[in-house]
Amino acid sequence: AAEVAFKKFRIPHPRVTEVAQQLEILRTVGRETRREWIEGGRRGQRPEQKFLPIFAESGSGKSTAIRSYMETTVAAEGHPDTVRPVIHVSLSENANTASAAGDILEELDDPDWEEGTGRKRIKRVAALLDGLDSEAVVIDEMQHLIHRDTGEKTARSVRDMLKRMLIRGTTPLVFVGTLDAEPVIFGDNQMKNRAMPPVYMPPLDDRDPDERRMWLEHCAGFDIELVRHGIFEDHSNLAFGDVPANAMEIAKGVIGTASRLFEVAATSAMVRGAKHIEWDDLDAAVETWAIPLKLVSENPFRRGTSTLKRKKGA
C-alpha cells in the first residue's frame, strides 16, 4: 500500500510550475489556431504548430510535472469523457516510426494500434486527435529514439514524422526526454524553428541559495506526504539537521533519487513498526540500496558529509 501511495506523492516545486505555464501557452496557441481553422470551414491547410522541449536527467521530475499538470489544471477544466485536451504518451524502447505512431494510437484506445505502416498509423492518429479536441500531445522518453544498432537513421525518421504532424497542424507537441535526446530533437533547422524556449531541469545545485531552498522544500514536502497519505502518524523531520545535506550527497541534486532514498527508509521504518523514519532507517537505506547501486561509495549517515560542513558558516 505504501509503494502505491509513493506514486501519488505530489510535492510543489518551482519547476513543476514552469512546465505548467509553458503548457498553458502551448495549448492556448494551439486552441486559437484550431478555432480559426474551424471557423474557416475546415478548408485548406491547418496552421502549423510548435513544440515544447523539456530535458532532464532521469528522476528530475519531468514526467511527474506533466502528470501533475494533467491531474490539476486539466482535471479542473471539467472536460467530458469524449474530450481529451492533453495526451501523455511514453515511447517504447527502440522506437521507430511505426511503434511511435502505435504508442500514440494505443494511448488513444485504438483497438488496432498495432496494425498498419507508420504512415497509415499517423493518419489515424490525426483523425482521432481531431475527434477528441486534443490541444497537445506529450511524447515522453524521447531518448528511446536513440538506437546503438541503427545509428541516427531511425531517430531521423521518427523526428521527420513528428515534424510532419507539426507542419500539417495536427496538434502542438511536447517532447520530453533526457539530454541524450536533445541532438535528436534539434537535428535540423526546421525543427529548431518550431521550438518554444526549451525547459531544462538539471539537478539542483546546493551552492545556489534558491536551489538549496528547493531541496529543503522537497525534503519537507516528502515528509508531509508521508503523513498525509497515512503511511506514518508522525513527521520524520526530513528537512532538518544533517538529513537534507546527506540526501543531497547521495542523490547529487536529483530529487527523484532523494525521494527513492526516503521511500526505502520508510519501508525500513514500517518493518520495525515505527511511527516515522529515524536515522537508522536512512542509514539502512544507504547500506542496502544506495551503495549497492553505486550511487555513493560511502555512507554519509555514518561518516558525516563534507557538503554540510562546508555550509555551516554560510
Side-chain angles (χ1 to χ4, degrees), residues 172-194:
L173 300 175
V174 182
F175 298 148
V176 183
T178 64
L179 288 173
D180 291 336
E182 190 174 15
V184 174
I185 295 172
F186 296 137
D188 65 45
N189 288 330
Q190 287 187 337
M191 287 298 281
K192 291 178 182 178
N193 291 335
R194 288 175 172 81

Side-chain angles (χ1 to χ4, degrees), residues 42-294:
R42 299 176 181 259
R43 292 188 298 271
Q45 175 71 35
R46 294 178 64 161
E48 295 185 9
Q49 301 291 353
K50 292 186 176 182
F51 71 92
L52 170 66
I54 302 175
F55 301 111
E57 288 186 19
S58 295
S60 296
K62 54 189 183 299
S63 298
T64 301
I66 299 295
R67 288 193 292 269
S68 177
Y69 175 78
M70 295 180 70
E71 293 165 356
T72 54
T73 302
V74 177
E77 293 168 356
H79 297 281
D81 293 340
T82 54
V83 174
R84 293 186 62 184
V86 182
I87 311 295
H88 187 188
V89 181
S90 290
L91 291 182
S92 302
E93 292 277 358
N94 297 319
N96 55 39
T97 53
S99 71
D103 289 334
I104 302 173
L105 287 172
E106 184 179 18
E107 181 62 31
L108 297 176
D109 298 323
D110 186 315
D112 300 318
W113 60 272
E114 293 180 294
E115 302 297 326
T117 63
R119 185 177 294 274
K120 289 181 178 178
R121 291 183 191 186
I122 208 65
K123 287 183 178 179
R124 301 210 314 269
V125 166
L128 286 171
L129 291 175
D130 197 30
L132 293 168
D133 293 338
S134 296
E135 297 169 349
V137 174
V138 181
I139 302 180
D140 212 335
E141 307 290 359
M142 288 291 289
Q143 68 275 6
H144 287 173
L145 297 179
I146 302 170
H147 304 179
R148 292 182 181 178
D149 54 342
T150 60
E152 298 181 1
K153 183 178 179 180
T154 300
R156 263 200 320 270
S157 65
V158 179
R159 183 185 65 219
D160 290 344
M161 178 185 74
L162 297 173
K163 181 171 64 179
R164 287 195 298 272
M165 288 180 64
L166 296 170
I167 292 172
R168 293 169 181 170
T170 304
T171 185
L173 300 175
V174 182
F175 298 148
V176 183
T178 64
L179 288 173
D180 291 336
E182 190 174 15
V184 174
I185 295 172
F186 296 137
D188 65 45
N189 288 330
Q190 287 187 337
M191 287 298 281
K192 291 178 182 178
N193 291 335
R194 288 175 172 81
M196 292 178 63
V199 176
Y200 291 95
M201 302 171 67
L204 296 176
D205 186 347
D206 59 352
R207 294 168 298 182
D208 183 294
D210 291 335
E211 295 191 11
R212 196 187 316 171
R213 184 173 62 253
M214 291 182 202
W215 186 262
L216 290 172
E217 289 173 351
H218 181 76
C219 294
F222 195 96
D223 199 349
I224 292 169
E225 290 290 278
L226 285 170
V227 175
R228 188 172 76 86
H229 285 271
I231 296 173
F232 292 122
E233 297 179 19
D234 302 331
H235 288 293
S236 303
N237 295 325
L238 297 178
F240 294 92
D242 295 356
V243 174
N246 288 351
M248 170 66 79
E249 181 177 340
I250 294 161
K252 297 177 178 59
V254 178
I255 59 176
T257 305
S259 293
R260 187 57 188 148
L261 173 72
F262 294 149
E263 290 173 12
V264 176
T267 301
S268 172
M270 283 186 286
V271 169
R272 296 189 302 102
K275 294 183 178 180
H276 60 270
I277 295 172
E278 297 178 358
W279 187 270
D280 288 346
D281 300 310
L282 293 161
D283 172 80
V286 178
E287 293 294 314
T288 63
W289 177 74
I291 290 178
L293 293 184
K294 296 181 171 52

